[in-house]
Amino acid sequence: MSSHHHPAHFPDDFVWGVATSAFQIEGASDTDGKGPSVWDTFCKQPGAIADASDGTVACEHYLRYEQDLDMIAQLGIDAYRFSASWPRVQATGSGDWNTKGLDFYERLVDGLLARGVAPYLTLNHWDLPQALQDKGGWANRDTVHRFVDYALAMHARLGDRVASIATHNEPWVMSVLGHETGIFAPGIKSRATAMQVAHHLMLSHGMAMRALREAGCKASLGIVLNLSPIEPATDSAADRAKARLEDGRLVRWYMDPLFKGTYPADVLEHLENDVPAVQPGDMDIIRTPMDFLGINYYSRSVASAGEPWDVHKSGLETTEMDWEVYPQGLTALLLRLHQDYPVPAMFITENGGAFKDPMVDGKVHDADRTRYLQQHIQAVADAMQQGVNMGGYMVWSLMDNFEWASGYAKRFGIVHVNYATQKRTLKDSALWYQQFLAEQATARLAQVA
Ligand code: FCB
């Protein structure tokens, strides 16, 4: 593929990567002392997962990590973003640490370093120990302190070797999809609970940041948010008001406390009795300065006060998730964040798409995914050209995996996984990314010479 399809001039230290999460790939859900997580429990609820599957086997990454590390190295990436499963390193979320679980992440981190790949650790990618959920989960303020202990334990084992630590992945998803709509674990349907959960997630983020710094952690510290521009379906006052409110709930509810130390007044007013309990000092803790902000971007969102927005009416290409392909929204989002907040370096910590991906003669010609990645990488470059400070870009995902409530039916990988044999096959998009990264590396060397 010729190089004029993608931008040539990313800074030398721009970090290219791929991302995964523990529950979606590891399997081994009760091996070597791992306790159950809320997702293990949720998968057993009839109807919760589209194909009635679960995470007991997934990609068998817990067993096959060496082979997966080789594959990662083969891609030529700078960094690998993964998450640790809290119940794998501490079965019940309090008390004893599980040495075998910690050993696994140590082998993974050392294996990455041995291959010249920087480890980017996420502490919480949704798989809370079920034993903590039994005591109220993230709605219980005590979970905040359990999380700080967990962060410190991971630091004690790996803090000298990981390049980056993100506290949480997508607090909005855990809060709203987990506790308000209930389509994700733990499957609760209460807006008041969801908002208390969101507050405790943010508080635990700030507390963990402070505790890690006090412990001398040298890794770059931050959080990962799922953010989208929210556009009104029409120019009507009602649609615009709806878009403003949804922006408040998705973007400003997280960005304002992190960077201004307040919750947005319009959302507080809208929530009425569902506002969370906030203790004196909490907001100061949440706004603890971060080294980076991670952003997961997939699509825009369209707000309508009337009939729900029909994604197929816009005429835009959509992915298998029914998400519009909307790269210009990424540029707009980054510019807006840069303008409205004193953001540190931003990373795209996830970006990618689920496409049909038939395997033909041992190959997957996923031109749609390659195009998606090219367009979004260009969208990042466009934002950078307009002055936005970006630290890196990571593809979701390294390989096909357990896509939460969609089960295994939706494939996001640049590597195909045959779930019957666990065979991994690089899709065309992986081959493209590999070549793109090789060109980036050549450009870097040329600059040094
Ligand atoms: C994000 C999640 C990630 C993956 C992608 C498709 O919300 O962080 O685990 O499921 O969506």
Side-chain angles (χ1 to χ4, degrees):
M1 186 155 305
S2 67
S3 53
H4 64 258
H5 284 292
H6 36 71
H9 298 297
F10 282 91
D12 284 1
D13 57 356
F14 193 83
V15 176
W16 296 98
V18 294
T20 63
S21 88
F23 190 80
Q24 294 177 276
I25 65 168
E26 285 179 0
S29 60
D30 61 1
T31 305
D32 289 345
K34 180 186 167 289
S37 78
V38 292
W39 271 94
D40 290 303
T41 307
F42 187 66
C43 288
K44 295 189 179 123
Q45 270 185 36
I49 312 299
D51 57 4
S53 63
D54 58 36
T56 52
V57 176
C59 305
E60 276 188 352
H61 172 72
Y62 186 76
L63 296 175
R64 296 169 183 271
Y65 70 94
E66 281 282 354
Q67 173 198 343
D68 290 339
L69 286 169
D70 288 341
M71 189 167 75
I72 287 166
Q74 194 191 342
L75 289 174
I77 56 173
D78 303 309
Y80 174 58
R81 175 175 178 246
F82 64 99
S83 78
S85 157
W86 181 355
R88 191 179 292 293
V89 303
Q90 189 184 37
T92 60
S94 57
D96 289 346
W97 300 100
N98 179 22
T99 310
K100 286 186 174 164
L102 289 166
D103 288 349
F104 170 70
Y105 294 111
E106 183 155 74
R107 290 196 300 274
L108 187 68
V109 165
D110 288 344
L112 288 166
L113 293 174
R115 290 165 178 82
V117 178
Y120 276 46
L121 168 67
T122 299
L123 293 171
N124 171 25
H125 201 124
W126 308 354
D127 44 359
L128 183 76
Q130 179 60 40
L132 291 184
Q133 188 60 46
D134 296 342
K135 296 180 195 156
W138 286 109
N140 178 353
R141 194 172 167 107
D142 183 60
T143 300
V144 171
H145 302 290
R146 302 285 68 74
F147 180 73
V148 173
D149 286 353
Y150 161 55
L152 288 172
M154 293 304 286
H155 165 68
R157 224 0 153 66
L158 301 170
D160 57 338
R161 280 161 285 164
V162 293
S164 160
I165 300 178
T167 52
H168 301 297
N169 179 73
E170 303 188 344
W172 179 89
V173 169
M174 283 181 278
S175 161
V176 174
L177 301 189
H179 299 81
E180 185 172 334
T181 67
I183 64 165
F184 279 8
I188 290 166
K189 293 191 174 79
S190 152
R191 188 174 69 173
T193 307
M195 298 322 289
Q196 193 62 56
V197 162
H199 179 65
H200 289 156
L201 286 167
M202 297 309 280
L203 179 63
S204 64
H205 155 76
M207 278 192 187
M209 295 260 314
R210 289 185 176 194
L212 288 170
R213 289 226 173 96
E214 271 163 37
C217 186
K218 297 282 189 302
S220 172
L221 304 180
I223 194 169
V224 172
L225 304 179
N226 56 302
L227 301 177
S228 292
I230 308 214
E231 298 174 3
T234 73
D235 211 30
S236 74
D239 284 354
R240 279 188 283 124
K242 187 79 192 298
R244 178 72 186 156
L245 175 63
E246 285 186 16
D247 175 77
R249 293 212 53 197
L250 178 74
V251 179
R252 289 178 287 120
W253 188 263
Y254 302 93
M255 291 296 288
D256 284 14
L258 287 170
F259 296 102
K260 299 178 178 173
T262 55
Y263 284 123
D266 59 326
V267 181
L268 287 172
E269 194 184 317
H270 166 82
L271 289 173
E272 298 185 331
N273 292 330
D274 294 344
V275 295
V278 175
Q279 293 187 11
D282 284 3
M283 302 311 287
D284 272 344
I285 294 171
I286 297 174
R287 77 185 302 187
T288 302
M290 300 188 288
D291 301 312
F292 74 91
L293 173 66
I295 295 159
N296 295 348
Y297 179 84
Y298 289 93
S299 187
R300 69 168 173 175
S301 162
V302 178
S304 163
E307 288 277 289
W309 171 252
D310 176 358
V311 78
H312 296 290
K313 277 200 176 140
S314 69
L316 294 167
E317 182 189 359
T318 54
T319 70
E320 286 286 284
M321 300 296 282
D322 269 350
W323 298 345
E324 292 170 332
V325 177
Y326 202 68
Q328 59 271 49
L330 177 54
T331 310
L333 172 71
L334 294 172
L335 286 169
R336 182 261 178 118
L337 298 176
H338 170 76
Q339 220 153 58
D340 289 1
Y341 299 96
V343 283
M346 293 190 280
F347 284 70
I348 300 304
T349 33
E350 288 180 24
N351 175 243
F355 294 96
K356 271 227 162 61
D357 289 354
M359 182 172 252
V360 181
D361 296 335
K363 300 214 153 95
V364 180
H365 300 303
D366 57 341
D368 33 19
R369 179 175 293 102
T370 301
R371 195 167 54 241
Y372 180 101
L373 298 177
Q374 288 171 337
Q375 289 171 340
H376 287 80
I377 289 170
Q378 181 61 54
V380 172
D382 290 346
M384 291 170 80
Q385 242 141 45
Q386 294 174 70
V388 180
N389 176 19
M390 297 297 302
Y393 172 92
M394 307 198 170
V395 174
W396 182 271
S397 181
L398 168 65
M399 56 184 158
D400 296 335
N401 58 49
F402 177 77
E403 178 46 37
W404 310 112
S406 306
Y408 295 97
K410 298 287 187 276
R411 293 174 175 269
F412 275 88
I414 57 173
V415 173
H416 179 271
V417 175
N418 177 328
Y419 293 111
T421 62
Q422 292 296 343
K423 184 173 161 39
R424 280 83 159 121
T425 305
L426 272 60
K427 301 179 191 177
D428 284 0
S429 56
L431 299 172
W432 168 77
Y433 197 45
Q434 188 179 41
Q435 191 194 322
F436 170 74
L437 297 181
E439 287 168 18
Q440 290 295 316
T442 310
R444 281 182 205 174
L445 284 176
Q447 272 174 19
V448 174

